[in-house]
Amino acid sequence: MSQFFTYAVITATIASAVQYAAPFLLAALGETVGQRSGVLNLGVDGIMLLSAFSCYFVALRTGSDLLGVVVGMLTGAVLGLLTAFMSVTLRAQQGISGIGVYILGLGLSDLLFVRFVGTPLPVSSLPNVSVPGLSRLPALGPMFFQQNWLVYIAFLLVPAVAFFLYRTTYGTRVLAVGENPAAADSVGISVTRTRYATVVFGCTMAGLAGSTLLLLDGIFQENLTQSAGFIAVALVYFGAWRPFGVMTGSLLYGVVTAVVLQWKSLGIIPTSAADLAATAPAVITVLALVVLAGRFKQPSSLGKAYVRGA
Amino acid sequence: MAGTPEVASAGPLLEMRGITKRFPGVLANDNVDFDVRPGEVHALFGENGAGKSTLMHVLYGIHQPDRGTIALGGRPVRIPSPAAAIAMGIGMVHQHFMLVPTLTVAENVSLGLKSSRGPLKDLSRVAARVEELSESYGLRVHPSAKVWQLSVGERQRVEIIKALYRESRLLVLDEPTAVLTPGEVDELFAALRKMASEGCGLVFISHKIREVLGLSDRVTVLRAGRRVATVQAGEVSGEQLAEMMVGRHINREDLTASAVPGRARLSVKGLVVRGDRGTEAVRGVSLEVRAGEIVGIAGVSGNGQRELEEAIAGLRPPAQGSVLVDGAELAGRPSGAVRRAGLGYVPEERMRHGVVGEFSVAENLMLASSNDPALLRRPGFLRRRAVRARARELVAAFDVRTPSLATPVRNLSGGNIQKLIVARELAAQPKVFLVAQPTRGIDVTAARYIHERLRAEAAKGTAVLIVSEDLDEVMTVSTRVLVMYEGRVIGEADPRHTTREAIGLMMAGVVAAGAEPARGPGRELEAAADAEVV
Amino acid sequence: TPAASAAPVLKVALVAPSAVNDLAFTQSMVAALNSLKKAYNLRVTISDNEFVVSDAANLIHQYAAEHYNLVIAHGSQYGSILQQLAPKFPKVSFAWGTAGSTFNQRNIYAYQAASNQGGYVQGYMAGMISKSHVIGVIGPIDVGDAQLYVDGFKAGVLAQDPKATVHVSFTGSFSDVSLMASAAKSYVADGADVLSGSSQSVVGAIGVAKSRNAAWFGTQWVQTSLAPKTVVSSQVYNWVPVLRQMLGRIRVGKLGGETYTINLANGGEKIDFNPGYKLPAKVKAEADKLVSEIAHGSLKVPQ
Amino acid sequence: MVGWAVLPVSALAALAIGAVLILAFGANPITGYRALLNGAFGGSYALASTAQKATPLLLVAAGTCVAVRANVWNIGGEGQIVAGALASTATALALPGLPGWLLVPLVLVVAAAGGALWAGVAGVFKAYFNVNEILSTIMLNLVAVQVMNYLLSGPMVNRSQSFSVTGLIPQTRLLSSRSWLPTLVPGTQLNLGVLVALAVAAAVYVLLWHSGFGFRARAVGLSPEAAAYAGMSVRRTTVNAMLLSGAACGLAGAVLVFGSISHRMVTDGSLTGFTGNDGFNGIVVALFGGLNPAWSVVSAFLFGGLLVGGTAMQGATGVPTDLVTTIEGLVVVFVVSMDFLRTGARLRQEVTERGGDGDLPARARSRSLVLRLARARV
Ligand SMILES: Nc1ncnc2c1ncn2[C@@H]1O[C@H](COP(=O)(O)OP(=O)(O)OP(=O)(O)O)[C@@H](O)[C@H]1O
Ligand SMILES: Nc1ncnc2c1ncn2[C@@H]1O[C@H](COP(=O)(O)OP(=O)(O)OP(=O)(O)O)[C@@H](O)[C@H]1O
Ligand SMILES: [Mg+2]
Ligand SMILES: [Mg+2]
């Protein structure tokens, strides 16, 4: 097989890059919508952890991925209500409340794992679904069209969210609330309801992201996400609050991660350099932020609670 | 428009009876009656804080009245929210624009409304309707333009079109002309009159007596939350209105005696400054302020004044040109350096830029001197006693009314905050004193006090440069007036020999051929006009 | 035995980096201790999931201060702690593994696993059952029994099929399940049909093997229950012989100074075949033959 | 006053939920919490362990106070701890010959420098490139752990490991005993680090409320615009605050190495394996301490006890120490939420104070836990 070596490696690397990107993309898309309405949710990672666990637990007990994903998303939605309640109703400082949710998720997810599962049994990780026709394309097929269904969903959601934000009246309302809540309020748009909606949506997506992450490896462990949620938030800035920008960021991150992991395990990267190579994704993301951050303006009311009568 | 005969014929379009609105500590509206008839323009007139906006916020559902009733077209109504108000055909053009800068005109106009295409936007239809409206009311705007690209005047028009688009029968305009050039004001009034002629009722809030008398049919004067009177606009003079507003006879503040100017202390040469969006906001301004002078920069906001201030103060690096204080080049230096070189600066936005709200009076008084050796013992530790001592002096010297030195300035009144800032800036004994909007939104006595301080400072040989949108203030305080228009100084005048009309023209970009002396008639109106500020 | 239960209680503390039920390193020691409770009248205290080294250090210190008879630091990363603490508590016996040194201190025992032996046998089997002749073996950090196992496994494969491709990598973490999983994935993607790995972080990799139907060889503990159709066999650590010797000596006041090794010969290691996996008879026969050869020393497994 | 009530109430609420969780493990909360209290505060040994655990927490908390007061959200404590630890360890490895009176201060200074450097990067990125510091610091955590693994298995690894069967355990040589932090109470782990932490907390307090720099930092934190108008350099202050914050975290790193039992750096490949999550716990400590270094001392001791006692509780009831993390999270959530009690009141009052017109956004910003706790001192 050595003559196919590079070809096999390249396709496999891209394929897994697309797969790695999926959870980041899902979480980042959700966060994008939330931030467009002016709410900064830093609890994503904690939410992903708790959803990942609930997904794992259900999938383990029922043997159904689908059910696991549904419950994972519900978990996200519930935590979304909590987040919205803190940021919108209680006007809590969004930086801190997010950290709180993160730490809560970090502790509680493993606590529940130890209590209700203990022995780390793997749930069968997601089977790949070949897209009829497309999957048989040379190179492209194995790279993009032999993925599991959650990956397809993640990437289909990109145009969906873009369409929602830019083409629908609801999207316009979200943007208005994020840029000038007072103006939205003055034409009878409920800032509170809008933000609750976007935050709950965002956290549901975080739940989906957590479930995806879980099902990709088929196993839960303490701090499974390893800050994936924070990286997702970074990717929102990276993508300048635009769905396709966020997708680009996620793919970049996925590719770098995949290259490092794959080439390391195939010995293309020597073990001695492996650790340093592993810093690449984070380093590249930060540098990307350095280059991009100045360029784009964030939603004007991002992180600020709205008070009527101002 | 919804000027349906049935409504027009029915008695008053709006009837507010005994409206009382109390905010903790303030009685903003005290048993106020107010009504609007179809086809009339009814002005609300009064000092800052008189309760005009509050009354209208009650009408628009932003606040709920503690007591009182509202009837629309004879039917009593409850207005729980702006949404409800809109549904009842009430429109409001707020004191601060309620537009989303990143969206287009059409999107702003249709924001929050049902779309004919269900969840999808139907911008083409909206755009068509906007074109129609701007056509018939002479309110020129591009439906597809993004709002942030529009001039202040255009944004104003968008607000009106928004109301028209929503087919409001009753339109409230809260200080709509504060930011317009005389020319734009005329266009606005034309549009409003047309609306009135179609049976729409309008409420017009303004501090400008001339406009109130010019536009409205009836005037209701509020003072400290109470209704003083409701009169036919035709039957009162400016003086009478002014006196109703403040409740006593106004004697005019005497104009600044012309000082003998000394040597130039501030000189700006060919200054070019970019605005936030990268466009040139200041396009080659050159000016000079001599010791003992008070130079006033007049102009409608948004013509580059702010960028000019910031460039001089070292908060915005200029693209070109030079700024000299007593001959020392400061263009592009950081604000700290500029201050050390002898510039005192009172920023336009008091709460945001002038003070740290959570800081105590004492802390705010040392805000600009955290490196002042007099307040520090090496290595850089504060000498709190010295800090407090200095604060005590300043508070006394500038008559800052505060419970204590430890009170957070957040809790001080606007006038006292302004006095505190002036005190802090003058304490550094600046060579050049730059003051933006010295008395905006400040009550009579405080404003007087600040004006006197400015004169005293000039008399000491400081070069004073004030920037104000309030023409009357500029003309009262300055020894020399410069007019800024679209980033340039397009004219200069001696306030004692120029009419405000002449300067008003310049503000609109029309350069007057030499300012002619104005004595005799016309001055009277100005006397009243001064009352608005002073 | 009545004699034993009459004997005074021995207080034994175990500090372990992963969970008591990790189906790997920690569980192997926990099982051994429990099986000896009666016979040696042990009172066992266990602190698991102590992967934070400084916290583990404090615990070990605390157990020593509480005069435990034996404090087992079950992880090579704990060695330096014992090196520092043992002299302070001459009356307490310490043990650590897997490692080969007692730091010449008379109250430290060291234990190690000749996991390369079972590794070799399983590698040999892997070579026999692999169709693609691509095989992957993954370790956590290249040290101790993990490294031994990986080396032995690779040697076994190549002994059986010199032309086979054996991918070897270490994730760099004892705990990171998903890193090991992604390594496993890239091997499957490169055609591997047999996988193996060491440490408590293998569960993810086993999951991958299961869902990509590759065969899996386990080590440290019986991993059949994780994937009944996927696991061919597991090399099981049985620390009982080691513990017996230590405890016996502690009873007579000898608190350390010895290094013990479990291997196929002393029964400390054995290959546990998964009855649920249809292993060709000749492969099994071959494996049994190798085990006895290694046990009798007629076959030397390269280190 | 509602204000300070928030903290104890939050704590109690969190512990109550914790009790429910203990029940979920079929254990008795009373027993659990008693074991926890006992393990944390019962007896001198427990107290010493608690104090020792509190040391890095207090250092990180002090750093957090500086940063957050200047409105920089330094979430990178974890990475900065590692940076400080690596820098100081390298120094101790390079200069084993130096006398203790020189070596100990040296490694502490180097650790502070290492942490400051790591944080400074994020500071500069924020000040000059407008990069959200929460994200950059998190990213730098991820980088730090890999750098640690690289150095401890490569350049800094102990090559003479007679004791390991094969391969090299990723750990350094035993550090020169001259570099160890002297123990204060014999028989316990309590060492000089505690005093260093207290000194740092005191210094931060003085710096924040009695120095020109601190004045600027708080001004910039409360209102960057006003600070800039008053001639302060917001960028400079931001970077300075970040540097100081990082330095404190770096010191925590040194304490974890030179105050540890093993007196060397070891990694299991994970970040937490070395830091024990102190980088995050320290932030919780600071928040619970009202972002005031003085109160953080108390708060650090409480949370130190919670963490030490958590292990004891695990022993007694089998409830994993994750319970402690969970309780920490709940505490933060409750503190920010209940903050509303005051926020609401304050808000209504304020709007009254000066018209609906104008600058409400400025005041809306000033309405965070942080800023409300920032009391005028002069
Ligand atoms: N205008 C300023 N804005 C922000 N930071 C400053 C400013 N001036 C000094 N600093 C910083 O404050 C610290 C103290 O040095 P500096 O010379 O500024 O003042 P100092 O009087 O020496 O001490 P202190 O800063 O306590 O006043 C230094 O880190 C310096 O970078
Ligand atoms: N939302 C609010 N909460 C509390 N007090 C308020 C609020 N809005 C206005 N006030 C107070 O009510 C009084 C009337 O305010 P209002 O804005 O109606 O005055 P105004 O006539 O519009 O003044 P201006 O001419 O400056 O616009 C003022 O004392 C103001 O401080
Ligand atoms: Mg008003
Ligand atoms: Mg006003």
Side-chain angles (χ1 to χ4, degrees):
Chain A
M1 51 101 237
S2 51
Q3 67 271 27
F4 301 120
F5 186 64
T6 43
Y7 172 80
V9 170
I10 302 298
T11 47
T13 307
I14 299 301
S16 57
V18 171
Q19 200 183 67
Y20 286 126
F24 294 104
L25 181 54
L26 287 165
L29 280 175
E31 179 76 6
T32 303
V33 175
Q35 289 202 11
R36 275 304 187 103
S37 78
V39 182
L40 171 67
N41 172 15
L42 282 178
V44 179
D45 203 53
I47 295 171
M48 283 175 72
L49 280 166
L50 277 167
S51 331
F53 170 73
S54 47
C55 171
Y56 173 67
F57 183 70
V58 171
L60 194 62
R61 291 298 162 88
T62 66
S64 153
D65 300 346
L66 185 57
L67 208 55
V69 171
V70 171
V71 174
M73 291 175 74
L74 283 178
T75 312
V78 171
L79 289 162
L81 283 173
L82 171 71
T83 305
F85 181 69
M86 288 195 292
S87 324
V88 181
T89 306
L90 299 185
R91 301 194 208 103
Q93 220 281 355
Q94 293 173 16
I96 314 176
S97 55
I99 299 299
V101 173
Y102 164 61
I103 297 177
L104 175 62
L106 183 63
L108 191 53
S109 58
D110 193 48
L111 195 61
L112 296 171
F113 174 72
V114 175
R115 167 69 182 81
F116 294 105
V117 182
T119 305
L121 297 166
V123 297
S124 60
S125 54
L126 290 168
N128 288 345
V129 185
S130 298
V131 182
L134 291 175
S135 60
R136 264 182 267 92
L137 292 172
L140 294 184
M143 287 182 192
F144 301 106
F145 302 110
Q146 299 176 15
Q147 301 284 356
N148 65 63
W149 57 283
L150 285 172
V151 173
Y152 295 128
I153 289 183
F155 283 86
L156 288 176
L157 274 166
V158 175
V161 169
F163 182 85
F164 168 81
L165 282 178
Y166 302 129
R167 292 262 183 282
T168 69
T169 54
Y170 304 106
T172 313
R173 293 177 187 199
V174 170
L175 301 184
V177 168
E179 285 299 330
N180 185 350
D185 192 15
S186 76
V187 293
I189 298 171
S190 162
V191 174
T192 305
R193 229 182 297 123
T194 309
R195 287 185 169 170
Y196 261 83
T198 55
V199 169
V200 169
F201 170 77
C203 295
T204 312
M205 294 287 280
L208 181 55
S211 314
T212 309
L213 198 62
L214 182 281
L215 291 174
L216 288 182
D217 291 346
I219 187 73
F220 183 86
Q221 74 169 345
E222 179 175 24
N223 190 15
L224 174 81
T225 55
Q226 310 206 338
S227 302
F230 288 98
I231 294 164
V233 178
L235 291 172
V236 175
Y237 286 74
F238 180 106
W241 297 272
R242 294 159 175 73
F244 284 95
V246 167
M247 182 182 78
T248 315
S250 312
L251 278 173
L252 174 65
Y253 194 89
V255 168
V256 180
T257 313
V259 166
V260 170
L261 289 180
Q262 295 249 325
W263 295 15
K264 175 182 155 194
S265 34
L266 296 179
I268 300 171
I269 300 172
T271 323
S272 56
D275 294 320
L276 285 187
T279 63
V283 171
I284 288 176
T285 314
V286 175
L287 294 183
L289 286 177
V290 170
V291 177
L292 295 170
R295 298 244 203 303
F296 303 94
K297 209 180 124 294
Q298 66 182 33
S300 306
S301 74
L302 183 59
K304 299 179 196 149
Y306 172 64
V307 186
R308 178 185 278 183
Chain B
M1 289 295 313
T4 53
E6 164 260 322
V7 171
S9 58
L13 192 54
L14 165 71
E15 239 180 328
M16 301 176 86
R17 289 270 162 271
I19 297 296
T20 298
K21 177 66 185 174
R22 173 184 300 282
F23 294 111
V26 191
L27 191 55
N29 288 154
D30 181 1
N31 190 27
V32 178
D33 296 345
F34 182 73
D35 68 291
V36 181
R37 301 176 194 137
E40 90 165 334
V41 177
H42 191 156
L44 264 177
F45 189 68
E47 280 184 291
N48 297 122
K52 309 182 291 293
S53 296
T54 302
L55 187 65
M56 291 302 111
H57 286 170
V58 167
L59 172 62
Y60 198 61
I62 292 174
H63 297 313
Q64 295 309 307
D66 304 329
R67 264 191 287 101
T69 60
I70 306 176
L72 282 172
R75 266 176 267 95
V77 292
R78 254 197 77 260
I79 308 179
S81 71
I86 295 168
M88 298 173 191
I90 304 172
M92 180 148 179
V93 175
H94 293 260
Q95 213 167 324
H96 312 278
F97 291 152
M98 291 294 184
L99 297 172
V100 183
T102 51
L103 297 181
T104 66
V105 170
E107 285 171 324
N108 269 283
V109 167
S110 58
L111 188 62
L113 296 178
K114 287 243 165 311
S115 156
S116 62
R117 295 171 58 205
L120 300 188
K121 295 195 265 187
D122 58 349
L123 291 180
S124 49
R125 187 184 295 239
V126 177
R129 177 71 180 139
V130 170
E131 296 282 8
E132 235 171 271
L133 290 170
S134 58
E135 202 43 48
S136 56
Y137 291 88
L139 301 162
R140 291 165 286 103
V141 287
H142 274 299
S144 55
K146 292 243 191 263
V147 164
W148 62 261
Q149 303 168 314
L150 303 184
S151 76
V152 182
E154 291 170 310
R155 292 179 196 201
Q156 180 70 266
R157 290 176 215 146
V158 177
E159 285 282 20
I160 309 235
I161 291 180
K162 224 164 100 186
L164 291 169
Y165 186 92
R166 282 147 215 269
E167 315 211 319
S168 316
R169 298 176 288 153
L170 177 61
L171 178 61
V172 179
L173 302 105
D174 194 343
E175 299 185 33
T177 59
V179 292
L180 301 184
T181 64
E184 288 171 324
V185 171
D186 296 341
E187 291 176 6
L188 172 65
F189 284 7
L192 296 182
R193 291 206 183 84
K194 184 162 191 295
M195 290 175 70
S197 70
E198 288 164 346
C200 185
L202 296 114
V203 181
F204 175 70
I205 301 180
S206 171
H207 287 287
K208 310 227 170 109
I209 292 176
R210 211 167 289 88
E211 297 173 351
V212 167
L213 294 180
L215 178 68
S216 45
D217 307 303
R218 289 191 298 159
V219 183
T220 291
V221 181
L222 293 185
R223 186 195 312 147
R226 255 186 240 84
R227 183 173 68 101
V228 180
T230 301
V231 293
Q232 293 295 327
E235 300 164 3
V236 283
S237 74
E239 294 89 334
Q240 290 167 318
L241 269 188
E243 286 172 22
M244 288 186 215
M245 166 174 83
V246 288
R248 66 187 128 79
H249 181 73
I250 311 279
N251 51 349
R252 270 175 53 199
E253 190 176 348
D254 43 354
L255 298 178
T256 311
S258 67
V260 243
R263 63 182 205 295
R265 304 207 83 172
L266 170 69
S267 47
V268 174
K269 297 209 190 72
L271 201 64
V272 176
V273 189
R274 300 201 179 289
D276 295 333
R277 303 220 177 254
T279 55
E280 280 188 7
V282 176
R283 308 212 189 94
V285 165
S286 299
L287 59 83
E288 208 167 64
V289 186
R290 301 164 164 283
E293 261 193 320
I294 301 181
V295 173
I297 293 184
V300 174
S301 72
N303 278 286
Q305 297 98 316
R306 159 174 290 234
E307 289 79 3
L308 176 64
E309 291 161 29
E310 292 183 345
I312 294 176
L315 292 160
R316 195 184 274 274
Q320 292 173 34
S322 74
V323 176
L324 302 172
V325 170
D326 275 359
E329 177 58 69
L330 295 175
R333 304 293 316 286
S335 56
V338 175
R339 285 174 169 278
R340 280 190 286 280
L343 180 98
Y345 179 32
V346 178
E348 173 179 339
E349 283 185 57
R350 219 163 287 138
M351 273 313 284
R352 259 186 79 210
H353 300 143
V355 293
V356 177
E358 304 282 326
F359 267 14
S360 70
V361 169
E363 283 178 309
N364 273 290
L365 281 167
M366 69 162 286
L367 205 56
S369 31
S370 63
N371 282 322
D372 177 347
L375 298 183
L376 295 166
R377 67 169 66 92
R378 297 260 84 14
F381 292 120
L382 291 174
R383 301 158 85 230
R384 283 144 120 230
R385 212 177 287 94
V387 170
R388 258 190 255 95
R390 178 185 290 187
R392 209 172 288 107
E393 283 168 33
L394 291 175
V395 165
F398 286 77
D399 174 43
V400 180
R401 311 266 167 78
T402 171
S404 83
L405 294 180
T407 313
V409 286
R410 180 171 28 78
N411 300 345
L412 269 52
S413 78
N416 280 300
I417 290 180
Q418 187 72 336
K419 282 195 266 179
L420 180 147
I421 297 171
V422 171
R424 179 182 74 210
E425 297 302 313
L426 290 182
Q429 292 168 348
K431 300 168 181 166
V432 176
F433 193 30
L434 171 58
V435 189
Q437 317 299 342
T439 59
R440 175 192 277 173
I442 282 184
D443 69 63
V444 182
T445 43
R448 274 255 167 115
Y449 182 84
I450 285 168
H451 286 165
E452 277 150 24
R453 276 291 176 170
L454 293 180
R455 293 200 185 85
E457 198 56 27
K460 280 198 300 179
T462 309
V464 180
L465 177 62
I466 70 169
V467 178
S468 173
E469 282 154 28
D470 185 329
L471 187 47
D472 302 294
E473 172 173 65
V474 173
M475 296 193 67
T476 324
V477 185
S478 5
T479 52
R480 197 149 60 90
V481 176
L482 305 178
V483 182
M484 267 192 91
Y485 179 75
E486 293 188 342
R488 293 198 182 76
V489 172
I490 64 158
E492 168 165 352
D494 175 341
R496 283 157 307 139
H497 309 301
T498 318
T499 58
R500 60 192 322 291
E501 287 72 17
I503 293 181
L505 277 176
M506 288 198 250
M507 286 167 63
V510 184
V511 183
E516 75 283 5
R519 286 263 162 260
R523 261 338 243 170
E524 271 54 46
L525 245 187
E526 301 219 13
D530 295 343
E532 293 166 21
V533 248
V534 182
Chain C
T1 65
S5 47
V9 173
L10 278 181
K11 283 165 65 187
V12 179
L14 172 67
V15 177
S18 51
V20 288
N21 49 14
D22 67 350
L23 292 172
F25 191 56
T26 300
Q27 190 161 358
S28 66
M29 181 57 79
V30 172
L33 279 171
N34 290 334
S35 71
L36 293 174
K37 264 187 180 158
K38 269 220 169 39
Y40 286 80
N41 194 11
L42 305 177
R43 175 128 50 74
V44 180
T45 314
I46 297 174
S47 302
D48 65 344
N49 282 321
E50 292 299 340
F51 61 96
V52 179
V53 178
S54 57
D55 291 355
N58 289 331
L59 269 167
I60 295 169
H61 185 280
Q62 188 175 336
Y63 287 130
E66 291 169 10
H67 310 301
Y68 271 73
N69 304 84
L70 173 62
V71 181
I72 304 175
H74 193 52
S76 48
Q77 64 268 48
Y78 298 148
S80 51
I81 301 169
L82 298 194
Q83 194 177 5
Q84 296 293 301
L85 282 180
K88 295 210 191 82
F89 298 96
K91 291 196 174 45
V92 177
S93 170
F94 298 88
W96 75 297
T98 58
S101 163
T102 65
F103 307 106
N104 315 324
Q105 291 189 32
R106 39 168 307 285
N107 62 335
I108 295 184
Y109 286 110
Y111 54 87
Q112 52 180 309
S115 50
N116 53 326
Q117 299 188 345
Y120 184 89
V121 176
Q122 302 202 113
Y124 200 95
M125 290 196 271
M128 291 179 78
I129 63 176
S130 169
K131 306 223 167 357
S132 66
H133 305 286
V134 183
I135 293 167
V137 54
I138 315 156
I141 293 181
D142 46 355
V143 64
D145 69 319
Q147 166 119 53
L148 279 174
Y149 177 80
V150 170
D151 293 351
F153 188 91
K154 181 172 184 180
V157 176
L158 295 177
Q160 194 279 334
D161 170 7
K163 295 183 311 308
T165 312
V166 186
H167 288 305
V168 172
S169 68
F170 291 87
T171 62
S173 159
F174 283 111
S175 53
D176 195 321
V177 168
S178 43
L179 275 182
M180 200 167 277
S182 49
K185 275 184 206 145
S186 43
Y187 292 159
V188 173
D190 193 50
D193 61 353
V194 181
L195 296 173
S196 182
S198 170
S199 92
Q200 57 270 29
S201 58
V202 291
V203 277
I206 295 177
V208 174
K210 184 175 168 190
S211 58
R212 310 290 167 83
N213 42 51
W216 176 268
F217 288 92
T219 181
Q220 292 181 333
W221 194 248
V222 186
Q223 289 165 351
T224 302
S225 61
L226 285 173
K229 292 190 180 45
T230 310
V231 176
V232 181
S233 67
S234 316
Q235 161 176 246
V236 184
Y237 290 175
N238 169 15
W239 299 104
V240 169
V242 170
L243 287 170
R244 280 189 187 286
Q245 306 199 50
M246 288 187 199
L247 294 167
R249 285 171 54 95
I250 291 172
R251 282 238 182 276
V252 298
K254 299 215 178 57
L255 301 184
E258 294 287 331
T259 300
Y260 301 106
T261 307
I262 53 170
N263 53 34
L264 291 173
N266 63 19
E269 290 173 1
K270 64 182 199 23
I271 305 296
D272 175 283
F273 289 91
N274 169 11
Y277 187 89
K278 291 179 296 311
L279 185 64
K282 56 186 273 278
V283 179
K284 171 127 184 9
E286 194 58 36
D288 294 336
K289 181 160 141 292
L290 286 170
V291 169
S292 59
E293 283 177 14
I294 295 172
H296 297 93
S298 53
L299 171 60
K300 284 266 163 289
V301 176
Q303 265 257 4
Chain D
M1 149 170 176
V2 197
W4 293 109
V6 164
L7 300 176
V9 173
S10 311
L12 290 178
L15 289 173
I17 296 187
V20 176
L21 291 168
I22 297 179
L23 281 172
F25 276 78
N28 174 347
I30 314 289
T31 335
Y33 282 137
R34 191 179 292 122
L36 189 149
L37 282 175
N38 216 340
F41 309 113
S44 56
Y45 183 84
L47 285 169
S49 315
T50 296
Q52 188 215 3
K53 184 69 189 170
T55 304
L57 298 182
L58 179 55
L59 284 163
V60 174
T64 306
C65 291
V66 182
V68 176
R69 289 283 177 178
N71 196 21
V72 212
W73 285 95
N74 178 9
I75 309 299
E78 294 278 285
Q80 290 145 29
I81 289 176
V82 168
L86 287 170
S88 50
T89 306
T91 311
L93 288 172
L95 309 166
L98 291 188
W101 61 265
L102 184 55
L103 191 51
V104 170
L106 180 65
V107 294
L108 290 177
V109 170
V110 172
L117 190 79
W118 206 249
V121 173
V124 170
F125 284 176
K126 179 191 175 68
Y128 295 88
F129 301 96
N130 180 29
V131 174
N132 178 312
E133 73 279 16
I134 297 180
L135 303 174
S136 54
T137 47
I138 287 277
M139 297 293 169
L140 286 167
N141 289 347
L142 302 180
V143 176
V145 62
Q146 300 299 349
V147 173
M148 171 175 74
N149 293 342
Y150 168 71
L151 291 174
L152 292 189
S153 55
M156 287 168 72
V157 74
N158 175 6
R159 302 219 164 275
S160 57
Q161 293 189 14
S162 57
F163 45 82
S164 105
V165 190
T166 49
L168 296 173
I169 300 174
Q171 63 182 26
T172 65
R173 267 204 331 272
L174 178 62
L175 296 166
S176 149
S177 57
R178 296 199 199 76
S179 65
W180 301 359
L181 296 177
T183 327
L184 300 180
V185 183
T188 73
Q189 294 312 308
L190 195 59
N191 58 52
L192 188 67
V194 177
L195 301 185
V196 174
L198 288 171
V200 167
V204 166
Y205 183 90
V206 173
L207 190 74
L208 277 177
W209 282 290
H210 297 268
S211 85
F213 167 73
F215 181 80
R216 285 189 291 274
R218 289 183 295 123
V220 168
L222 290 167
S223 166
E225 299 96 338
Y229 273 69
M232 301 176 195
S233 142
V234 174
R235 290 177 161 176
R236 219 167 130 192
T237 310
T238 303
V239 174
N240 289 335
M242 203 62 175
L243 288 172
L244 284 171
S245 167
C249 295
L251 279 173
V255 168
L256 287 180
V257 176
F258 299 94
S260 74
I261 290 178
S262 47
H263 290 113
R264 65 174 87 210
M265 243 185 123
V266 191
T267 177
D268 72 335
S270 72
L271 193 54
T272 332
F274 175 70
T275 63
N277 225 14
D278 289 347
F280 276 103
N281 297 342
I283 295 171
V284 179
V285 166
L287 292 175
F288 195 72
L291 289 166
N292 176 327
W295 282 108
S296 296
V297 174
V298 182
S299 160
F301 194 73
L302 290 178
F303 279 92
L306 200 55
L307 290 162
V308 171
T311 317
M313 181 177 65
Q314 180 181 19
T317 64
V319 180
T321 46
D322 300 300
L323 180 70
V324 175
T325 318
T326 311
I327 290 178
E328 286 180 337
L330 288 168
V331 167
V332 178
V333 167
F334 287 137
V335 170
V336 280
S337 301
M338 283 193 231
D339 206 39
F340 179 67
L341 298 178
R342 282 167 301 166
T343 312
R346 162 73 69 92
L347 183 59
R348 285 183 293 283
Q349 174 202 352
E350 267 180 5
V351 183
T352 319
E353 274 148 12
R354 186 176 28 263
D357 287 2
D359 44 59
L360 209 114
R363 277 178 277 134
R365 255 206 320 289
S366 80
R367 190 159 298 100
S368 77
L369 170 92
V370 183
L371 305 186
R372 196 156 327 79
L373 288 164
R375 290 264 167 276
R377 278 302 189 292
V378 177

